[in-house]
Short mmCIF file of all heavy atoms in Angstrom, two decimals:
data_model
loop_
_atom_site.label_atom_id
_atom_site.label_comp_id
_atom_site.label_asym_id
_atom_site.label_seq_id
_atom_site.Cartn_x
_atom_site.Cartn_y
_atom_site.Cartn_z
N VAL A 1 -197.91 -79.35 -6.25
CA VAL A 1 -198.90 -80.02 -5.42
C VAL A 1 -198.78 -81.53 -5.61
O VAL A 1 -198.69 -82.04 -6.73
CB VAL A 1 -200.33 -79.55 -5.79
CG1 VAL A 1 -201.37 -80.34 -5.01
CG2 VAL A 1 -200.48 -78.07 -5.52
N LEU A 2 -198.80 -82.25 -4.49
CA LEU A 2 -198.72 -83.71 -4.50
C LEU A 2 -200.11 -84.32 -4.49
O LEU A 2 -201.00 -83.88 -3.75
CB LEU A 2 -197.95 -84.19 -3.26
CG LEU A 2 -198.03 -85.70 -2.96
CD1 LEU A 2 -197.26 -86.51 -4.00
CD2 LEU A 2 -197.52 -86.00 -1.57
N THR A 3 -200.30 -85.33 -5.33
CA THR A 3 -201.49 -86.18 -5.25
C THR A 3 -201.04 -87.59 -4.94
O THR A 3 -200.00 -88.05 -5.44
CB THR A 3 -202.29 -86.16 -6.56
OG1 THR A 3 -203.45 -87.01 -6.42
CG2 THR A 3 -201.48 -86.67 -7.73
N THR A 4 -201.78 -88.29 -4.10
CA THR A 4 -201.44 -89.68 -3.79
C THR A 4 -202.33 -90.59 -4.62
O THR A 4 -203.48 -90.27 -4.91
CB THR A 4 -201.62 -89.97 -2.29
OG1 THR A 4 -203.00 -89.82 -1.92
CG2 THR A 4 -200.78 -89.02 -1.45
N LEU A 5 -201.80 -91.75 -4.98
CA LEU A 5 -202.54 -92.67 -5.84
C LEU A 5 -202.14 -94.10 -5.52
O LEU A 5 -201.20 -94.36 -4.78
CB LEU A 5 -202.28 -92.35 -7.31
CG LEU A 5 -200.83 -92.04 -7.76
CD1 LEU A 5 -200.03 -93.31 -7.92
CD2 LEU A 5 -200.83 -91.25 -9.05
N ARG A 6 -202.87 -95.03 -6.09
CA ARG A 6 -202.56 -96.44 -5.88
C ARG A 6 -202.10 -97.08 -7.18
O ARG A 6 -202.38 -96.58 -8.27
CB ARG A 6 -203.76 -97.19 -5.31
CG ARG A 6 -204.99 -97.22 -6.19
CD ARG A 6 -206.14 -97.89 -5.47
NE ARG A 6 -207.36 -97.86 -6.25
CZ ARG A 6 -208.54 -98.29 -5.78
NH1 ARG A 6 -208.63 -98.75 -4.56
NH2 ARG A 6 -209.62 -98.24 -6.53
N SER A 7 -201.42 -98.20 -7.04
CA SER A 7 -200.88 -98.90 -8.20
C SER A 7 -201.89 -99.92 -8.72
O SER A 7 -202.96 -100.12 -8.13
CB SER A 7 -199.58 -99.62 -7.82
OG SER A 7 -199.85 -100.67 -6.91
N HIS A 8 -201.51 -100.60 -9.79
CA HIS A 8 -202.38 -101.64 -10.34
C HIS A 8 -202.52 -102.81 -9.37
O HIS A 8 -203.61 -103.35 -9.18
CB HIS A 8 -201.81 -102.14 -11.68
CG HIS A 8 -202.53 -103.34 -12.21
ND1 HIS A 8 -202.06 -104.63 -12.05
CD2 HIS A 8 -203.70 -103.46 -12.88
CE1 HIS A 8 -202.90 -105.48 -12.59
NE2 HIS A 8 -203.90 -104.80 -13.10
N ASP A 9 -201.41 -103.21 -8.73
CA ASP A 9 -201.42 -104.36 -7.81
C ASP A 9 -201.80 -103.91 -6.40
O ASP A 9 -201.13 -104.26 -5.42
CB ASP A 9 -200.05 -105.03 -7.78
CG ASP A 9 -199.80 -105.85 -9.04
OD1 ASP A 9 -200.71 -105.95 -9.88
OD2 ASP A 9 -198.69 -106.40 -9.17
N GLN A 10 -202.87 -103.16 -6.28
CA GLN A 10 -203.24 -102.60 -4.98
C GLN A 10 -204.74 -102.45 -4.90
O GLN A 10 -205.40 -102.03 -5.85
CB GLN A 10 -202.56 -101.24 -4.78
CG GLN A 10 -202.86 -100.56 -3.48
CD GLN A 10 -202.06 -99.27 -3.31
OE1 GLN A 10 -201.16 -98.98 -4.10
NE2 GLN A 10 -202.39 -98.50 -2.30
N TYR A 11 -205.29 -102.79 -3.75
CA TYR A 11 -206.71 -102.55 -3.48
C TYR A 11 -206.80 -101.72 -2.21
O TYR A 11 -206.46 -102.20 -1.12
CB TYR A 11 -207.48 -103.86 -3.31
CG TYR A 11 -208.94 -103.66 -3.03
CD1 TYR A 11 -209.81 -103.25 -4.04
CD2 TYR A 11 -209.46 -103.84 -1.74
CE1 TYR A 11 -211.16 -103.04 -3.78
CE2 TYR A 11 -210.80 -103.63 -1.47
CZ TYR A 11 -211.64 -103.24 -2.50
OH TYR A 11 -212.97 -103.02 -2.24
N ASN A 12 -207.22 -100.48 -2.35
CA ASN A 12 -207.18 -99.53 -1.24
C ASN A 12 -205.76 -99.50 -0.67
O ASN A 12 -204.82 -99.23 -1.39
CB ASN A 12 -208.24 -99.88 -0.20
CG ASN A 12 -209.65 -99.67 -0.75
OD1 ASN A 12 -209.86 -98.87 -1.66
ND2 ASN A 12 -210.61 -100.39 -0.22
N THR A 13 -205.58 -99.80 0.62
CA THR A 13 -204.23 -99.79 1.18
C THR A 13 -203.60 -101.17 1.23
O THR A 13 -202.52 -101.34 1.79
CB THR A 13 -204.24 -99.19 2.60
OG1 THR A 13 -205.14 -99.93 3.42
CG2 THR A 13 -204.67 -97.73 2.57
N THR A 14 -204.25 -102.16 0.64
CA THR A 14 -203.71 -103.52 0.62
C THR A 14 -202.87 -103.71 -0.64
O THR A 14 -203.36 -103.53 -1.76
CB THR A 14 -204.84 -104.57 0.65
OG1 THR A 14 -205.63 -104.37 1.83
CG2 THR A 14 -204.26 -105.97 0.67
N LEU A 15 -201.60 -104.08 -0.47
CA LEU A 15 -200.69 -104.27 -1.59
C LEU A 15 -200.58 -105.75 -1.92
O LEU A 15 -200.27 -106.57 -1.05
CB LEU A 15 -199.29 -103.72 -1.24
CG LEU A 15 -199.23 -102.30 -0.69
CD1 LEU A 15 -197.78 -101.91 -0.44
CD2 LEU A 15 -199.89 -101.32 -1.64
N TYR A 16 -200.82 -106.08 -3.18
CA TYR A 16 -200.70 -107.46 -3.63
C TYR A 16 -199.41 -107.70 -4.41
O TYR A 16 -199.08 -108.83 -4.74
CB TYR A 16 -201.91 -107.83 -4.49
CG TYR A 16 -203.21 -107.85 -3.73
CD1 TYR A 16 -204.12 -106.81 -3.85
CD2 TYR A 16 -203.50 -108.89 -2.86
CE1 TYR A 16 -205.30 -106.82 -3.13
CE2 TYR A 16 -204.69 -108.91 -2.14
CZ TYR A 16 -205.58 -107.87 -2.27
OH TYR A 16 -206.75 -107.87 -1.55
N GLY A 17 -198.69 -106.65 -4.71
CA GLY A 17 -197.45 -106.78 -5.46
C GLY A 17 -196.80 -105.42 -5.60
O GLY A 17 -197.33 -104.40 -5.15
N LEU A 18 -195.64 -105.40 -6.26
CA LEU A 18 -194.89 -104.17 -6.42
C LEU A 18 -194.88 -103.69 -7.86
O LEU A 18 -194.04 -102.88 -8.24
CB LEU A 18 -193.44 -104.38 -5.93
CG LEU A 18 -193.29 -104.73 -4.45
CD1 LEU A 18 -191.82 -104.96 -4.12
CD2 LEU A 18 -193.87 -103.63 -3.57
N ASN A 19 -195.81 -104.19 -8.66
CA ASN A 19 -195.86 -103.81 -10.06
C ASN A 19 -197.04 -102.87 -10.32
O ASN A 19 -198.09 -102.99 -9.71
CB ASN A 19 -196.01 -105.04 -10.96
CG ASN A 19 -194.82 -105.98 -10.82
OD1 ASN A 19 -193.70 -105.55 -10.56
ND2 ASN A 19 -195.07 -107.28 -10.98
N ASP A 20 -196.83 -101.93 -11.22
CA ASP A 20 -197.87 -101.00 -11.61
C ASP A 20 -197.91 -100.93 -13.13
O ASP A 20 -197.27 -100.10 -13.75
CB ASP A 20 -197.59 -99.61 -11.01
CG ASP A 20 -198.74 -98.64 -11.25
OD1 ASP A 20 -199.75 -99.05 -11.87
OD2 ASP A 20 -198.63 -97.48 -10.82
N ARG A 21 -198.67 -101.82 -13.72
CA ARG A 21 -198.71 -101.85 -15.19
C ARG A 21 -199.43 -100.64 -15.75
O ARG A 21 -199.31 -100.35 -16.94
CB ARG A 21 -199.38 -103.15 -15.66
CG ARG A 21 -200.88 -103.22 -15.45
CD ARG A 21 -201.42 -104.55 -15.97
NE ARG A 21 -202.87 -104.59 -15.97
CZ ARG A 21 -203.57 -105.67 -16.26
NH1 ARG A 21 -202.94 -106.79 -16.54
NH2 ARG A 21 -204.89 -105.64 -16.25
N TYR A 22 -200.20 -99.93 -14.91
CA TYR A 22 -200.83 -98.70 -15.37
C TYR A 22 -199.76 -97.69 -15.83
O TYR A 22 -199.94 -96.98 -16.82
CB TYR A 22 -201.62 -98.04 -14.24
CG TYR A 22 -202.84 -98.79 -13.79
CD1 TYR A 22 -203.28 -98.71 -12.47
CD2 TYR A 22 -203.58 -99.57 -14.67
CE1 TYR A 22 -204.41 -99.38 -12.04
CE2 TYR A 22 -204.72 -100.25 -14.24
CZ TYR A 22 -205.13 -100.15 -12.93
OH TYR A 22 -206.24 -100.82 -12.50
N ARG A 23 -198.64 -97.65 -15.10
CA ARG A 23 -197.66 -96.58 -15.32
C ARG A 23 -196.28 -97.10 -15.67
O ARG A 23 -195.32 -96.33 -15.69
CB ARG A 23 -197.61 -95.68 -14.09
CG ARG A 23 -198.99 -95.13 -13.72
CD ARG A 23 -198.98 -94.39 -12.40
NE ARG A 23 -200.34 -94.01 -12.03
CZ ARG A 23 -201.15 -94.76 -11.29
NH1 ARG A 23 -200.73 -95.93 -10.84
NH2 ARG A 23 -202.37 -94.34 -11.01
N GLY A 24 -196.15 -98.41 -15.92
CA GLY A 24 -194.88 -98.95 -16.37
C GLY A 24 -193.82 -99.07 -15.32
O GLY A 24 -192.62 -99.06 -15.64
N VAL A 25 -194.20 -99.17 -14.05
CA VAL A 25 -193.24 -99.33 -12.96
C VAL A 25 -193.33 -100.76 -12.43
O VAL A 25 -194.42 -101.26 -12.18
CB VAL A 25 -193.52 -98.33 -11.82
CG1 VAL A 25 -192.59 -98.58 -10.65
CG2 VAL A 25 -193.37 -96.90 -12.32
N THR A 26 -192.19 -101.42 -12.27
CA THR A 26 -192.19 -102.80 -11.80
C THR A 26 -191.22 -102.96 -10.64
O THR A 26 -190.14 -102.38 -10.61
CB THR A 26 -191.78 -103.78 -12.93
OG1 THR A 26 -190.49 -103.41 -13.41
CG2 THR A 26 -192.78 -103.74 -14.06
N GLY A 27 -191.64 -103.76 -9.67
CA GLY A 27 -190.76 -104.17 -8.58
C GLY A 27 -190.46 -103.11 -7.54
O GLY A 27 -189.57 -103.31 -6.71
N ARG A 28 -191.19 -102.00 -7.54
CA ARG A 28 -190.89 -100.95 -6.56
C ARG A 28 -192.05 -99.98 -6.44
O ARG A 28 -192.93 -99.92 -7.28
CB ARG A 28 -189.63 -100.20 -6.97
CG ARG A 28 -189.77 -99.48 -8.31
CD ARG A 28 -188.47 -98.92 -8.81
NE ARG A 28 -187.81 -98.10 -7.79
CZ ARG A 28 -186.62 -97.55 -7.97
NH1 ARG A 28 -185.96 -97.74 -9.10
NH2 ARG A 28 -186.08 -96.80 -7.03
N ARG A 29 -192.01 -99.19 -5.36
CA ARG A 29 -193.05 -98.18 -5.13
C ARG A 29 -192.45 -96.85 -4.67
O ARG A 29 -193.18 -95.89 -4.49
CB ARG A 29 -194.04 -98.69 -4.06
CG ARG A 29 -194.87 -99.88 -4.52
CD ARG A 29 -195.69 -100.44 -3.38
NE ARG A 29 -196.57 -99.47 -2.78
CZ ARG A 29 -197.78 -99.15 -3.26
NH1 ARG A 29 -198.24 -99.75 -4.36
NH2 ARG A 29 -198.53 -98.25 -2.65
N ASP A 30 -191.15 -96.81 -4.51
CA ASP A 30 -190.48 -95.59 -4.01
C ASP A 30 -190.19 -94.63 -5.16
O ASP A 30 -189.04 -94.29 -5.43
CB ASP A 30 -189.21 -95.95 -3.26
CG ASP A 30 -188.24 -96.77 -4.11
OD1 ASP A 30 -188.68 -97.38 -5.12
OD2 ASP A 30 -187.03 -96.81 -3.77
N VAL A 31 -191.24 -94.20 -5.84
CA VAL A 31 -191.08 -93.35 -7.02
C VAL A 31 -191.91 -92.08 -6.88
O VAL A 31 -192.87 -92.02 -6.09
CB VAL A 31 -191.48 -94.09 -8.31
CG1 VAL A 31 -190.61 -95.32 -8.52
CG2 VAL A 31 -192.94 -94.49 -8.28
N LEU A 32 -191.53 -91.07 -7.67
CA LEU A 32 -192.27 -89.82 -7.72
C LEU A 32 -192.54 -89.49 -9.18
O LEU A 32 -191.61 -89.31 -9.97
CB LEU A 32 -191.49 -88.68 -7.06
CG LEU A 32 -192.23 -87.35 -6.96
CD1 LEU A 32 -193.37 -87.45 -5.95
CD2 LEU A 32 -191.28 -86.23 -6.57
N PHE A 33 -193.81 -89.43 -9.56
CA PHE A 33 -194.20 -89.13 -10.94
C PHE A 33 -194.27 -87.62 -11.14
O PHE A 33 -194.78 -86.90 -10.28
CB PHE A 33 -195.56 -89.74 -11.26
CG PHE A 33 -195.61 -91.23 -11.14
CD1 PHE A 33 -196.10 -91.84 -9.98
CD2 PHE A 33 -195.17 -92.04 -12.18
CE1 PHE A 33 -196.16 -93.22 -9.87
CE2 PHE A 33 -195.22 -93.42 -12.08
CZ PHE A 33 -195.71 -94.01 -10.92
N MET A 34 -193.78 -87.17 -12.30
CA MET A 34 -193.92 -85.77 -12.65
C MET A 34 -193.88 -85.62 -14.17
O MET A 34 -193.36 -86.50 -14.88
CB MET A 34 -192.83 -84.91 -12.00
CG MET A 34 -191.43 -85.18 -12.46
SD MET A 34 -190.23 -84.00 -11.73
CE MET A 34 -190.48 -84.28 -9.99
N ALA A 35 -194.43 -84.52 -14.66
CA ALA A 35 -194.45 -84.26 -16.10
C ALA A 35 -193.05 -83.95 -16.59
O ALA A 35 -192.19 -83.48 -15.84
CB ALA A 35 -195.39 -83.09 -16.40
N ALA A 36 -192.82 -84.20 -17.89
CA ALA A 36 -191.51 -83.95 -18.48
C ALA A 36 -191.10 -82.49 -18.35
O ALA A 36 -189.96 -82.18 -18.00
CB ALA A 36 -191.51 -84.39 -19.95
N ASP A 37 -192.04 -81.58 -18.63
CA ASP A 37 -191.74 -80.15 -18.53
C ASP A 37 -191.40 -79.76 -17.10
O ASP A 37 -190.52 -78.92 -16.86
CB ASP A 37 -192.93 -79.33 -19.03
CG ASP A 37 -193.12 -79.45 -20.54
OD1 ASP A 37 -192.19 -79.94 -21.20
OD2 ASP A 37 -194.19 -79.06 -21.02
N GLU A 38 -192.11 -80.37 -16.14
CA GLU A 38 -191.86 -80.07 -14.74
C GLU A 38 -190.47 -80.55 -14.33
O GLU A 38 -189.74 -79.86 -13.61
CB GLU A 38 -192.93 -80.72 -13.86
CG GLU A 38 -192.99 -80.19 -12.44
CD GLU A 38 -193.45 -78.75 -12.40
OE1 GLU A 38 -194.45 -78.41 -13.08
OE2 GLU A 38 -192.79 -77.96 -11.68
N ALA A 39 -190.09 -81.74 -14.79
CA ALA A 39 -188.77 -82.27 -14.47
C ALA A 39 -187.67 -81.41 -15.10
O ALA A 39 -186.65 -81.11 -14.46
CB ALA A 39 -188.66 -83.71 -14.95
N GLU A 40 -187.89 -80.99 -16.34
CA GLU A 40 -186.89 -80.17 -17.03
C GLU A 40 -186.74 -78.82 -16.34
O GLU A 40 -185.62 -78.31 -16.18
CB GLU A 40 -187.29 -79.98 -18.49
CG GLU A 40 -186.28 -79.20 -19.30
CD GLU A 40 -186.67 -79.09 -20.76
OE1 GLU A 40 -187.70 -79.68 -21.14
OE2 GLU A 40 -185.94 -78.42 -21.53
N LYS A 41 -187.85 -78.22 -15.92
CA LYS A 41 -187.80 -76.93 -15.26
C LYS A 41 -186.99 -76.99 -13.97
O LYS A 41 -186.28 -76.05 -13.62
CB LYS A 41 -189.23 -76.45 -14.96
CG LYS A 41 -189.29 -75.10 -14.28
CD LYS A 41 -190.72 -74.64 -14.12
CE LYS A 41 -191.47 -75.48 -13.09
NZ LYS A 41 -192.84 -74.96 -12.85
N ARG A 42 -187.07 -78.14 -13.30
CA ARG A 42 -186.36 -78.30 -12.03
C ARG A 42 -185.02 -79.00 -12.21
O ARG A 42 -184.37 -79.35 -11.23
CB ARG A 42 -187.26 -79.06 -11.06
CG ARG A 42 -188.56 -78.32 -10.78
CD ARG A 42 -189.54 -79.13 -9.97
NE ARG A 42 -190.79 -78.40 -9.86
CZ ARG A 42 -191.03 -77.45 -8.96
NH1 ARG A 42 -190.09 -77.14 -8.08
NH2 ARG A 42 -192.20 -76.84 -8.92
N GLN A 43 -184.67 -79.26 -13.48
CA GLN A 43 -183.39 -79.90 -13.82
C GLN A 43 -183.28 -81.29 -13.19
O GLN A 43 -182.22 -81.71 -12.73
CB GLN A 43 -182.21 -79.02 -13.40
CG GLN A 43 -182.18 -77.68 -14.12
CD GLN A 43 -180.97 -76.84 -13.77
OE1 GLN A 43 -180.42 -76.93 -12.67
NE2 GLN A 43 -180.53 -76.02 -14.71
N PHE A 44 -184.40 -82.01 -13.20
CA PHE A 44 -184.41 -83.41 -12.76
C PHE A 44 -184.39 -84.31 -13.98
O PHE A 44 -184.97 -83.98 -15.03
CB PHE A 44 -185.66 -83.72 -11.94
CG PHE A 44 -185.72 -83.01 -10.61
CD1 PHE A 44 -186.94 -82.80 -9.99
CD2 PHE A 44 -184.57 -82.55 -9.99
CE1 PHE A 44 -187.01 -82.15 -8.77
CE2 PHE A 44 -184.63 -81.90 -8.76
CZ PHE A 44 -185.85 -81.70 -8.15
N ARG A 45 -183.76 -85.46 -13.85
CA ARG A 45 -183.76 -86.46 -14.90
C ARG A 45 -184.40 -87.75 -14.38
O ARG A 45 -184.45 -87.99 -13.18
CB ARG A 45 -182.34 -86.76 -15.35
CG ARG A 45 -181.61 -85.57 -15.97
CD ARG A 45 -180.21 -85.98 -16.38
NE ARG A 45 -179.45 -86.49 -15.25
CZ ARG A 45 -178.27 -87.08 -15.35
NH1 ARG A 45 -177.72 -87.24 -16.53
NH2 ARG A 45 -177.64 -87.50 -14.26
N VAL A 46 -184.87 -88.58 -15.30
CA VAL A 46 -185.41 -89.88 -14.91
C VAL A 46 -184.34 -90.65 -14.14
O VAL A 46 -183.20 -90.76 -14.60
CB VAL A 46 -185.86 -90.68 -16.14
CG1 VAL A 46 -186.26 -92.10 -15.74
CG2 VAL A 46 -187.02 -89.99 -16.84
N GLY A 47 -184.71 -91.16 -12.99
CA GLY A 47 -183.76 -91.92 -12.18
C GLY A 47 -183.12 -91.12 -11.07
O GLY A 47 -182.49 -91.69 -10.18
#
């Protein structure tokens, strides 16, 4: 199940930057977060 969320540099749908210090992502938004066990089960690696 997918949940949608906003980054640190964001107010509602207004983007003020591409950094998300909440989750350690900088300079981009084209990411998909998942748990380590979930990634391993599906044979996905970071990146």
Side-chain angles (χ1 to χ4, degrees):
V1 176
L2 168 70
T3 180
T4 64
L5 44 79
R6 62 185 177 186
S7 67
H8 172 261
D9 285 356
Q10 180 176 350
Y11 180 74
N12 293 334
T13 57
T14 302
L15 309 182
Y16 294 104
L18 298 178
N19 298 329
D20 187 0
R21 73 180 188 187
Y22 293 149
R23 305 173 186 91
V25 175
T26 58
R28 62 189 308 177
R29 292 173 58 83
D30 57 340
V31 299
L32 184 70
F33 299 97
M34 66 175 58
D37 290 346
E38 196 67 47
E40 183 177 357
K41 180 175 70 175
R42 300 172 185 277
Q43 298 183 331
F44 293 157
R45 297 180 302 171
V46 173

